[in-house]
Amino acid sequence: MVGAVIATCVFSGLNVAAPKYLGDATDVVVAGVLRVGLDEGRLGLLLVLVASMYILASLFNWVQGVLTARSVQGLMHGLRGALEEKLHRLPSTYFQGTSRGDVLSRATNDVDNIAQALNQLLTQLIMSVLMLSGSLAMMLWISPLLAVIALATVPVSTLITVLVTRRSQANYARQWKETGELNSHVEEFVTGHEVIKAFGQQGRAAGVFARSNDRLEWAAARAQFSAGMVQPLMALVSNLNYIAVAVVGAFQVMAGAMTIGGIQAFIQFSRLFTQPVGQIGGMLSLIQSCVASAARVFALLDAGEDPGERQGDEAVPADGRIVFEDVTFAYAGAGPAVANLSFTAEPGQSVAIVGHTGAGKSTVVNLLLRFCEPDSGRITLGGVELGAIARDRLRARFGVVLQDTWLFGGTIRDNIAYGNPEAPEEAIMAAAEASHVDRFVRSLPDGYATVLENGGDPLSEGQRQLISIARAQLARRDILVLDEATSSVDSRTELLIRQAMERLLRGRTSLVIAHRLSTVRNADLILVMDHGRIVEQGTHQGLLAANGYYTRLYNAQFTSRKDRAVALEAGS
């Protein structure tokens, strides 16, 4: 950046000095005509000097352009890196209250807008100031009277710039806000295109997009219109100034107060003077657009992080004992998701958590993995409070299979090995066979080299979940968290997975969240939750014998299955 500024200063200095020598060359020609004798040597020297100055100015202009581009792109590289790191430090609750499309717009569109603005602003602003001050000094040297006439345009230009800037700032902020909302709609349509088509809502989706697109068009048009007013108005002021300088300068020449070369040089300097004034006015609209985007980017960078995100000096204990002590937590704007929750999972014990949808089961997982922090109470692992353990080190102890499967763009083999990239091929194949992934992968044309796209296409939801289970098996973590791990598989596959999981869970602490109560019969401890509280706990047989809430859940689930079986039999 220092090199770009130096190159800009040299370029501006050469551009300011050249008109003076060109005016001297004009005076040599005029003197030669009037005296019938041309000083060819001096004329040639002046012309070569002027040509050399313009050539050097072009060279330094190119140098500053290259250095500015490198500086700005380096700056944007760092800014994008800071955004990427920030996204990892943000709490899960941030993404629940912010659309993904808007976040993507801030990280891409707004950053690109800042880069484009800085490319034009950083050196051009310096160049304009130098050209403005340099040409003013030369005009005062040549003719103070004409310099005063030229300066008369400055207050007018300033007033125009201030008035236009006030209007354009709000319009640019609205434009980039509407851009983020439009991206949010596009992201929703792409993610939910199957649902949109299944319910025949293409017209409604198109209407939502059209309205958002109309708002963006109107906001962008107003921003561009208000910003576009600067250049024409500045050009008008510049042309009026040019007329005044030319007329008064002609009278000065006729009176013998100036030479023809002097008035020629002055007119060039007046152009050099008014041009930066107009450029600065135009740059202010760029600044407004840049500021609007920067405000959105820095709002993301300044977003609140988890209170314990930067904590974590304690080592991860080898003991796998998990204890929830009177834990209460509520999501923003909602009632408590869990309230006064207390339980203990001993090392090697399998703990199942069951209950109706919304009972708080998945919140237990979020708290355990520190996706969110408890409002009160404490959670310990091996006697150490989770907030004292760094998140990355804590999560390295857990093998996780979530209800919402996530597969990245890559091969099936790479997705299985995601939690253990250094695993040998034999271990990957063993995990795939144990999770019954192998039986459907072998039928694919490219087998384990099949490339997955869009979160797992072309596989079914059940097949994606099997791959997630294989990934957890291969990771071989001490503590396992299974959140509805069998929710998307058929009954036969569920049985096979349960058998594989029983082998996998042997000797490990595990938390199993399930709607299907058939998957938790063999758990060492079953916690029954309702409205964020544990209402019953015990073993499967003990809870059935108590004939309470768990029994009602069990009977409702299996009675409905029997009714379906009877209906199917009657229909056949």
Side-chain angles (χ1 to χ4, degrees):
M1 198 62 229
V2 172
V5 171
I6 293 173
T8 301
C9 293
V10 175
F11 166 77
S12 302
L14 293 171
N15 267 321
V16 168
K20 179 65 175 67
Y21 291 104
L22 190 59
D24 291 344
T26 301
D27 283 339
V28 170
V29 174
V30 172
V33 172
L34 296 178
R35 298 171 189 172
V36 195
L38 181 64
D39 189 348
E40 296 180 354
R42 178 170 170 73
L43 177 61
L45 181 62
L46 288 170
L47 292 177
V48 169
L49 179 61
V50 171
S52 300
M53 295 175 82
Y54 280 127
I55 291 172
L56 284 173
S58 298
L59 176 62
F60 278 98
N61 191 29
W62 175 78
V63 170
Q64 70 87 11
V66 172
L67 294 179
T68 299
R70 291 186 61 184
S71 301
V72 170
Q73 292 308 316
L75 179 63
M76 293 305 102
H77 178 271
L79 184 58
R80 284 190 291 267
L83 284 169
E84 193 270 342
E85 292 177 1
K86 180 68 177 186
L87 292 176
H88 290 303
R89 297 197 303 269
L90 287 172
S92 300
T93 51
Y94 177 86
F95 297 99
Q96 294 169 1
T98 307
S99 69
R100 284 178 284 183
D102 186 62
V103 173
L104 290 174
S105 182
R106 293 178 192 232
T108 54
N109 293 340
D110 286 301
V111 170
D112 288 342
N113 185 51
I114 294 172
Q116 292 175 9
L118 291 181
N119 264 323
Q120 300 180 52
L121 289 173
L122 287 180
T123 54
Q124 284 194 13
L125 191 59
I126 298 171
M127 186 188 307
S128 296
V129 171
L130 291 175
M131 297 283 281
L132 189 68
S133 56
S135 57
L136 176 59
M138 296 300 291
M139 286 192 298
L140 288 170
W141 180 27
I142 295 172
S143 174
L145 174 62
L146 293 180
V148 171
I149 295 174
L151 285 172
T153 62
V154 174
V156 179
S157 301
T158 303
L159 179 62
I160 292 172
T161 301
V162 170
L163 292 176
V164 172
T165 299
R166 286 178 179 175
R167 294 188 59 185
S168 61
Q169 182 174 5
N171 291 332
Y172 274 118
R174 179 69 181 273
Q175 175 188 350
W176 293 112
K177 178 178 178 293
E178 294 295 345
T179 300
E181 291 188 4
L182 184 69
N183 285 342
S184 297
H185 292 313
V186 172
E187 189 270 336
E188 288 179 358
F189 299 157
V190 171
T191 304
H193 70 282
E194 292 181 350
V195 176
I196 292 172
K197 291 181 178 179
F199 285 91
Q201 294 297 314
Q202 296 95 320
R204 181 179 179 182
V208 171
F209 179 86
R211 288 190 292 273
S212 181
N213 197 22
D214 290 341
R215 291 195 299 269
L216 175 57
E217 178 190 19
W218 177 243
R222 292 187 65 181
Q224 296 301 321
F225 174 76
S226 59
M229 291 172 61
V230 175
Q231 292 292 356
L233 292 174
M234 290 295 186
L236 174 62
V237 173
S238 175
N239 288 330
L240 293 175
N241 175 71
Y242 174 74
I243 294 172
V245 168
V247 172
V248 176
F251 283 111
Q252 289 283 88
V253 173
M254 291 173 62
M258 292 184 68
T259 64
I260 294 177
I263 187 61
Q264 174 197 331
F266 191 93
I267 289 174
Q268 286 185 278
F269 284 126
S270 70
R271 284 298 194 188
L272 288 178
F273 178 77
T274 55
Q275 183 180 0
V277 172
Q279 287 178 342
I280 291 174
M283 287 178 200
L284 288 176
S285 64
L286 272 178
I287 291 173
Q288 298 305 318
S289 176
C290 180
V291 167
S293 290
R296 286 167 48 79
V297 170
F298 286 110
L300 177 57
L301 288 174
D302 294 336
E305 301 176 6
D306 284 341
E309 181 63 45
R310 299 186 182 277
Q311 299 177 7
D313 297 329
E314 293 287 340
V316 183
D319 184 7
R321 189 171 188 262
I322 299 170
V323 179
F324 277 63
E325 299 179 15
D326 201 26
V327 174
T328 297
F329 171 77
Y331 294 102
V338 294
N340 307 115
L341 187 67
S342 298
F343 71 88
T344 300
E346 298 292 346
Q349 191 177 39
S350 175
V351 177
I353 305 176
V354 300
H356 287 301
T357 300
K361 304 184 299 298
S362 294
T363 301
V364 175
V365 174
N366 291 336
L367 290 166
L368 184 59
L369 295 175
R370 293 191 65 196
F371 291 139
C372 48
E373 300 291 335
D375 298 329
S376 63
R378 64 196 295 259
I379 307 170
T380 61
L381 175 63
V384 178
E385 193 164 354
L386 296 189
I389 306 172
R391 279 180 168 82
D392 54 349
R393 287 188 290 175
L394 172 69
R395 292 167 185 164
R397 290 286 302 277
F398 290 88
V400 182
V401 179
L402 298 176
Q403 182 176 1
D404 297 325
T405 58
W406 179 81
L407 302 178
F408 64 88
T411 65
I412 292 178
R413 182 202 176 280
D414 292 338
N415 272 279
I416 295 174
Y418 187 78
N420 188 4
E422 305 301 324
E425 194 69 22
E426 297 78 11
I428 295 174
M429 293 300 106
E433 291 174 3
S435 301
H436 307 286
V437 171
D438 189 71
R439 63 175 183 170
F440 71 81
V441 171
R442 295 292 183 185
S443 64
L444 298 174
D446 296 324
Y448 286 92
T450 300
V451 176
L452 305 179
E453 298 177 353
N454 299 323
D457 290 343
L459 302 180
S460 68
E461 186 62 34
Q463 290 171 332
R464 298 176 194 182
Q465 200 147 40
L466 288 172
I467 292 177
S468 297
I469 294 170
R471 183 165 59 196
Q473 287 182 320
L474 183 65
R476 306 295 292 179
R477 302 291 172 82
D478 297 335
I479 306 171
L480 295 176
V481 177
L482 310 176
D483 187 357
E484 301 293 350
T486 61
S487 62
S488 298
V489 298
D490 57 75
S491 299
R492 180 175 178 274
T493 304
E494 176 191 341
L495 176 62
L496 296 174
I497 291 175
R498 192 163 69 247
Q499 293 172 351
M501 283 300 176
E502 288 175 358
R503 293 193 299 269
L504 176 66
L505 298 178
R506 208 167 289 147
R508 290 180 171 83
T509 308
S510 62
L511 269 76
V512 181
I513 296 175
H515 279 300
R516 294 183 180 179
L517 301 186
S518 59
T519 62
V520 300
R521 290 175 177 174
N522 296 327
D524 299 312
L525 174 66
I526 298 175
L527 306 177
V528 185
M529 294 189 65
D530 184 38
H531 293 93
R533 299 177 183 272
I534 297 176
V535 294
E536 289 182 334
Q537 56 181 306
T539 62
H540 174 70
Q541 294 299 333
L543 290 171
L544 285 180
N547 197 29
Y549 191 85
Y550 180 82
T551 304
R552 292 195 297 273
L553 286 176
Y554 187 84
N555 290 337
Q557 188 172 115
F558 284 91
T559 299
S560 62
R561 288 188 181 182
K562 291 176 182 177
D563 290 343
R564 286 196 298 269
V566 171
L568 287 173
E569 184 177 352
S572 61

